[in-house]
């Protein structure tokens, strides 16, 4: 039995009904406000506002298709193995006015990489900005090197890696402005998302060496 | 990676930022199921709130898209606010949601093009004043003052009843929780209803 069925005040009754719906994840008060006009409607609005201001929690039905559809969309946007580092790196690189190639060259110089090692750094860095390289494998020396190249503290990169984030190409909105010399342009000169002027790096596309080298250890922990 | 699976019960007791930290740990440990389960719990817990804020300032057709964008921003940014109180966290979520609503409708008006860095949305680390409504919306503050002023005209027991009812407890639950052991749910109804009517009358007088 619903306790609120006993309530004679229709506005309070509507408030209690709203609370019950809210708990199921239906936060829109419109269907309840629309039952009233004038000051009754305002007083219901006030009660609902006060209730919401307490920061109440909801618990949607696991089978609710609308909730599940929204959740799947959210999950898609925050499930990058690199966490928030992917977007953060791209933004920092843009602010520093550097291309990916320039960052890769700077990393290669820092670590005195051979040409073959630089190729590896190139692929790893692309995967990192793409969001497909797990941030958990990144070495502290790499964070320091990237931070120095991009003009930030290593902690900011580690913090970004410790949060959740999108893969490149997800609808991350305007944050993901890429350098023009790194992207392909469509016929109307708009940016083509997901195309970075070369083959999309795939975590399985490169054959793994039988023994991790120092570059592997920098980016994946070996 | 230091990931320790925990029970559903323990998971439900985690605060918002702790839930996301747990999800991050699950992700790093490549425990996809635990990652998704934890994230779903967080989204479900705050779904009603985010939908409330979005529904007040958007069209029904746009609602789900904006709700999902708000959650993405909240989840991505919440790690920066570890240790804050629940009230502060909820207030921050409200601010972030307000920004995503504004971004959505601003972006809808623009033709498709890259948005220069200088025009990009403000960082969500800003804990400035909530601005979910119009820029000069002081309605929320006035409502809060009206409620507090009306509450002050009640005795302690009645104030307790009203505050509990505004938190969403039913009349029956409030009667059981009340410091007055003789409190019945009929009395709770009367106290809350009279409070509501006084609020209504005060609003009519102001108008």
């Amino acid at each position: 039995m619903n306790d609120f069925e006993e309530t004679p005040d229709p506005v309070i009754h509507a408030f209690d009904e709203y609370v019950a719906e809210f708990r199921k994840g239906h936060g829109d008060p419109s269907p309840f406000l629309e039952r009233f006009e004038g000051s009754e409607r305002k007083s219901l609005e006030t009660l609902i506002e006060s209730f919401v201001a307490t920061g109440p929690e909801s618990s949607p039905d696991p089978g609710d298709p609308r909730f599940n559809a929204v959740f799947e969309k959210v999950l898609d946007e925050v499930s990058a193995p690199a966490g928030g580092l992917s977007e953060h790196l791209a933004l920092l690189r843009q602010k520093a006015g550097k291309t990916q190639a320039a960052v890769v060259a700077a990393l290669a110089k820092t670590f005195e990489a051979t040409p073959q090692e630089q190729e590896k750094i190139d692929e790893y860095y692309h995967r990192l900005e793409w969001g497909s390289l797990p941030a958990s494998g990144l070495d502290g020396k790499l964070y320091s090197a990237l931070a120095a190249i991009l003009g930030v503290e290593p902690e900011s990169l580690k913090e970004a890696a410790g949060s959740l984030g999108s893969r490149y190409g997800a609808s991350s909105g305007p944050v993901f402005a890429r350098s023009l010399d790194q992207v392909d342009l469509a016929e109307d000169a708009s940016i083509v998302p997901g195309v970075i002027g070369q083959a999309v790096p795939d975590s399985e596309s490169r054959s793994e060496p039988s023994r991790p080298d120092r570059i592997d250890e920098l980016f994946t922990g070996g | 990676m230091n990931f320790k699976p925990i029970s559903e019960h323990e998971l439900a007791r985690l605060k918002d930022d702790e839930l996301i930290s747990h999800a991050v740990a699950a992700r790093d440990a490549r425990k996809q199921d635990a990652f998704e389960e934890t994230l779903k719990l967080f989204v479900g817990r705050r779904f009603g709130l985010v939908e409330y804020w979005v529904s007040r300032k958007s069209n029904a057709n746009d609602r789900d898209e904006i709700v999902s964008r708000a959650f993405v921003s909240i989840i991505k940014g919440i790690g920066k606010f570890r240790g804050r109180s629940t009230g502060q966290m909820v207030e921050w979520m409200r601010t972030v949601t307000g920004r995503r609503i504004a971004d959505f409708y601003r972006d809808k008006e623009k033709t498709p093009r890259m948005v220069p860095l200088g025009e990009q949305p403000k960082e969500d680390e800003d804990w400035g004043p909530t601005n979910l409504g119009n820029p000069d919306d002081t309605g929320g503050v006035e409502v809060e003052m009206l409620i507090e002023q009306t509450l002050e005209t009640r005795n302690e027991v009645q104030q307790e009843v009203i505050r509990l009812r505004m938190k969403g407890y039913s009349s029956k639950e409030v009667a059981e929780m009340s410091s007055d052991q003789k409190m019945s749910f009929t009395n709770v109804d009367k106290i809350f209803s009279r409070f509501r009517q006084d609020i209504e009358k005060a609003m009519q007088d102001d108008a």
Side-chain angles (χ1 to χ4, degrees), chain A residues 20-206:
Chain A
E21 284 302 301
F22 181 97
R23 300 281 188 217
K24 295 177 199 170
H26 307 148
D28 182 5
S30 313
F32 305 91
L33 293 173
E34 282 162 7
R35 296 182 200 171
F36 304 94
E37 289 176 355
S39 56
E40 278 193 326
R41 180 182 171 128
K42 274 195 145 184
S43 70
L44 176 59
E45 200 166 16
T46 302
L47 290 182
I48 289 175
E49 265 182 44
S50 303
F51 164 67
V52 171
T54 64
E57 295 183 4
S58 52
S59 182
D61 182 344
D64 184 338
R66 200 186 135 240
F67 168 69
N68 283 321
V70 170
F71 174 68
E72 286 302 319
K73 210 165 192 174
V74 172
L75 183 65
D76 206 40
E77 294 278 343
V78 299
S79 56
L85 185 58
S86 168
E87 285 179 282
H88 191 53
L89 273 180
L91 189 63
L92 288 174
R93 186 170 56 72
Q94 283 291 302
K95 282 183 177 172
K98 294 181 189 292
T99 63
Q100 283 194 0
V103 172
V104 167
L107 281 172
K109 188 175 177 184
T110 302
F111 294 107
E112 297 177 342
T114 65
Q116 291 81 5
E117 287 179 325
Q118 182 163 346
E119 273 185 32
K120 215 178 234 193
I121 292 173
D122 185 64
E123 183 168 338
Y124 272 132
Y125 185 77
H126 275 87
R127 285 171 59 189
L128 194 55
E129 275 209 21
W130 183 260
S132 63
L133 190 71
S136 54
L138 303 180
D139 189 273
K141 291 195 286 275
L142 180 62
Y143 277 115
S144 297
L146 279 169
I149 292 164
L150 297 171
V152 297
E153 292 297 320
E155 273 316 304
S156 81
L157 299 181
K158 290 177 187 173
E159 210 175 275
S163 67
L164 299 177
S166 318
R167 296 170 185 269
Y168 173 65
S171 51
S172 310
V175 172
F176 228 116
R178 294 180 74 85
S179 168
L180 282 179
D181 70 349
Q182 291 283 324
V183 299
D184 280 359
L185 299 180
E187 284 180 354
D188 63 355
S190 61
I191 303 291
V192 177
V195 179
I196 53 172
Q198 63 181 62
V200 169
D202 178 358
S203 58
E204 293 167 0
S205 66
R206 188 176 59 85

Side-chain angles (χ1 to χ4, degrees), chain B residues 24-205:
Chain B
V24 171
R27 176 203 71 187
D28 288 347
R30 321 278 177 102
K31 303 288 184 190
Q32 186 65 17
D33 283 352
F35 169 70
E36 289 187 23
E37 180 196 5
T38 308
L39 213 55
K40 199 166 194 176
L41 181 61
F42 172 78
V43 173
R45 178 190 286 181
R46 294 305 178 195
F47 200 78
L49 259 188
V50 173
E51 192 188 54
Y52 171 80
W53 292 323
V54 172
S55 68
R56 303 302 276 145
K57 294 286 170 189
S58 68
N59 303 321
N61 289 340
D62 302 327
R63 203 154 297 161
D64 287 356
E65 174 64 29
I66 301 174
V67 166
S68 66
R69 289 187 189 194
F71 267 113
V72 169
S73 289
I74 288 166
I75 288 166
K76 285 182 179 180
I78 201 169
K80 295 186 175 78
F81 302 110
R82 287 193 189 93
R84 301 276 185 166
S85 70
T86 299
Q88 288 175 314
M89 195 70 79
V90 166
E91 196 53 37
W92 172 76
M93 289 184 202
R94 187 178 184 224
T95 302
V96 171
T97 302
R99 290 199 180 125
R100 293 300 84 84
I101 296 169
D103 291 346
F104 179 86
Y105 285 108
R106 184 195 63 217
D107 291 347
K108 234 181 167 185
E109 286 167 15
K110 290 188 172 172
T111 52
R113 65 177 176 86
M114 288 301 288
V115 178
L117 284 172
E119 286 185 27
Q120 288 181 16
K122 208 173 174 182
E123 290 298 324
D124 291 330
E125 295 94 62
D126 179 12
W127 281 65
T130 301
N131 207 3
L132 197 61
N134 296 323
D136 294 319
D137 188 355
T138 55
V141 175
E142 287 172 0
V143 161
E144 206 177 310
M145 279 176 58
L146 175 62
I147 289 188
E148 287 304 317
Q149 282 164 4
T150 312
L151 269 172
E152 277 167 19
T153 63
R154 271 45 181 186
N155 64 38
E156 254 183 61
V157 169
Q158 290 167 339
Q159 285 191 33
E160 180 194 55
V161 163
I162 292 163
R163 288 194 198 280
L164 286 173
R165 282 297 265 119
M166 286 201 295
K167 280 188 175 179
Y169 291 103
S170 69
S171 293
K172 188 178 172 195
E173 286 169 327
V174 173
E176 287 167 5
M177 293 162 78
S178 174
S179 52
D180 179 354
Q181 291 180 350
K182 294 180 188 167
M183 184 64 64
S184 67
F185 78 76
T186 311
N187 280 347
V188 170
D189 276 348
K190 285 181 187 164
I191 292 168
F192 196 43
S193 182
R194 282 182 197 143
F195 171 78
R196 200 274 304 165
Q197 288 170 46
D198 284 354
I199 295 281
E200 191 180 320
K201 186 174 181 306
M203 284 178 164
Q204 283 172 333
D205 293 345

